[in-house]
């Protein structure tokens, strides 16, 4: 937002595989007068975009540099191996790293998984992008390990995927520059955290007129007059009994006892 008279807006960056549709829909319902601009950026370029002021916040992959960014972890994805449909591992429901020992496991330059040791055999060259690696899998050159959302993003009819256990996982977070938290960022934080529109957390809400806010401001509510308290009414109800027609029939108070 530039200038005091400028229309407020919210610019959100997101990395491939992340689907912000639900949060965007809620934003548009709650803030129809504040346009939200979405921009997809490569995972490796997200930090630079936020620090450069091109986006107010971003849905990014961890790790996040906490010395310059504030971040809220959102979810962790399942890791899968992408293979041709006739690959041997399609016969099982879950794959172990040792099952890929004889395969070339492609390692694209934009890989978002933090590997200590990649399973399988290395390729002669690293593909430039995940999209390029998927094309090589389809050509029978090797297999590819990615977060589930990227496998779905690059889905092909001739490929499938299986969960890979004991593999690194990728998490997604909402991040923004630590010294540039705007009202719009605070509103979006509330949305991704599932706060309702009436939540008292987050941005300060204006006081409610004529309701409980006024009662709180003026002090405690007035006490009922003596003899008209809720407790008094309750006691009266007990004396009346269930029928509501005076004392119970078996009440013998006030009658003299017969002498023997």
């Amino acid at each position: 937002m530039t200038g005091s008279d400028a229309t407020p807006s919210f610019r959100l960056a997101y990395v491939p595989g992340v689907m912000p549709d639900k949060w965007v829909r809620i934003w548009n319902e709650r803030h129809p007068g504040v346009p939200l601009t979405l921009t997809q950026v490569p995972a490796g370029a997200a930090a630079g975009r936020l620090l450069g002021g091109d986006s107010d916040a971003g849905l990014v992959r961890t790790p996040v540099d906490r010395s310059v960014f504030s971040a809220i972890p959102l979810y962790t994805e399942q890791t899968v191996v992408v293979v041709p449909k006739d690959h041997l591992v399609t016969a099982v429901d879950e794959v172990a790293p040792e099952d890929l020992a004889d395969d070339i496991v492609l390692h694209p330059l934009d890989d978002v998984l933090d590997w200590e040791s990649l399973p399988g055999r290395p390729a002669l060259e690293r593909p430039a992008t995940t999209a390029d690696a998927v094309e090589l899998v389809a050509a029978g050159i090797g297999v590819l390990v990615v977060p589930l959302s990227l496998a779905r993003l690059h889905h092909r009819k001739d490929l499938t995927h299986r969960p890979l256990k004991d593999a690194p996982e990728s998490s997604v977070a909402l991040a923004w520059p630590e010294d540039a938290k705007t009202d719009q960022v605070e509103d979006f934080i509330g949305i991704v955290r599932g706060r309702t529109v009436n939540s008292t957390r987050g941005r300060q809400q204006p006081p409610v007129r004529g309701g409980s806010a006024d009662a709180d401001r003026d002090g405690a509510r007035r006490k009922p007059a003596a003899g008209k308290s809720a407790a008094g009414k309750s006691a009266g109800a007990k004396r009346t009994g269930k029928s509501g027609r005076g004392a119970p029939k078996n009440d013998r108070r006030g009658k003299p006892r017969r002498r023997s």
Side-chain angles (χ1 to χ4, degrees):
M1 183 170 67
T2 24
S4 57
D5 298 328
T7 303
S9 63
F10 180 53
R11 300 165 300 167
L12 179 68
Y14 69 102
V15 297
V18 175
M19 302 296 289
D21 303 25
K22 175 185 175 181
W23 297 321
V24 172
R25 175 180 54 78
I26 296 173
W27 175 276
N28 291 334
E29 291 172 355
R30 296 185 184 179
H31 306 282
V34 183
L36 187 155
T37 304
L38 278 174
T39 305
Q40 181 174 287
V41 296
R49 184 174 183 86
L50 294 176
L51 290 175
D54 297 313
S55 293
D56 299 303
L59 296 168
V60 302
R61 294 193 180 274
T62 58
V64 175
D65 185 352
R66 300 306 286 263
S67 66
V68 291
F69 292 111
S70 295
I72 298 172
L74 298 178
Y75 58 88
T76 298
E77 289 196 65
Q78 183 181 56
T79 302
V80 300
V81 55
V82 179
V83 297
K85 281 193 170 181
D86 59 355
H87 195 283
L88 289 176
V89 300
T90 59
V92 298
D93 294 329
E94 187 179 57
V95 181
E98 53 268 23
D99 295 331
L100 305 176
D102 295 331
D103 287 285
I104 292 176
V105 178
L106 302 164
H107 191 199
L109 295 174
D110 64 353
D111 184 24
V112 297
L113 298 174
D114 186 17
W115 291 99
E116 288 186 5
S117 178
L118 199 69
R121 298 183 292 134
L124 295 177
E125 294 182 6
R126 295 182 64 182
T129 66
T130 297
D132 292 336
V134 170
E135 294 296 325
L136 293 175
V137 175
I141 304 300
V143 300
L144 174 66
V145 179
V146 290
L148 178 58
S149 67
L150 290 180
R152 289 172 172 168
L153 178 66
H154 299 288
H155 171 72
R156 289 175 52 116
K157 291 182 178 180
D158 52 347
L159 301 180
T160 188
H161 56 77
R162 291 290 185 272
L164 180 65
K165 63 181 182 181
D166 301 327
E169 295 176 322
S170 176
S171 297
V172 173
L174 174 66
W176 62 93
E178 194 170 34
D179 57 352
K181 187 179 184 181
T182 65
D183 287 344
Q184 287 71 39
V185 171
E186 185 62 64
D187 287 337
F188 197 76
I189 291 171
I191 289 174
V192 300
R193 281 185 162 170
R195 297 177 196 159
T196 65
V197 68
N198 296 321
S199 173
T200 57
R201 297 184 65 187
R203 292 176 61 183
Q204 184 68 35
Q205 300 298 321
V208 179
R209 297 290 180 185
S212 59
D214 287 341
D216 292 340
R217 184 180 65 249
D218 296 336
R221 297 180 182 232
R222 294 182 181 179
K223 295 182 179 180
K228 295 183 179 180
S229 66
K233 291 179 182 178
S234 176
K238 289 180 181 178
R239 286 197 300 270
T240 302
K242 294 183 178 179
S243 64
R245 297 179 182 176
K249 293 181 179 179
N250 62 353
D251 189 354
R252 304 177 60 86
R253 287 178 297 173
K255 295 182 180 180
R257 296 183 179 179
R258 291 184 180 181
R259 297 189 178 185
S260 54

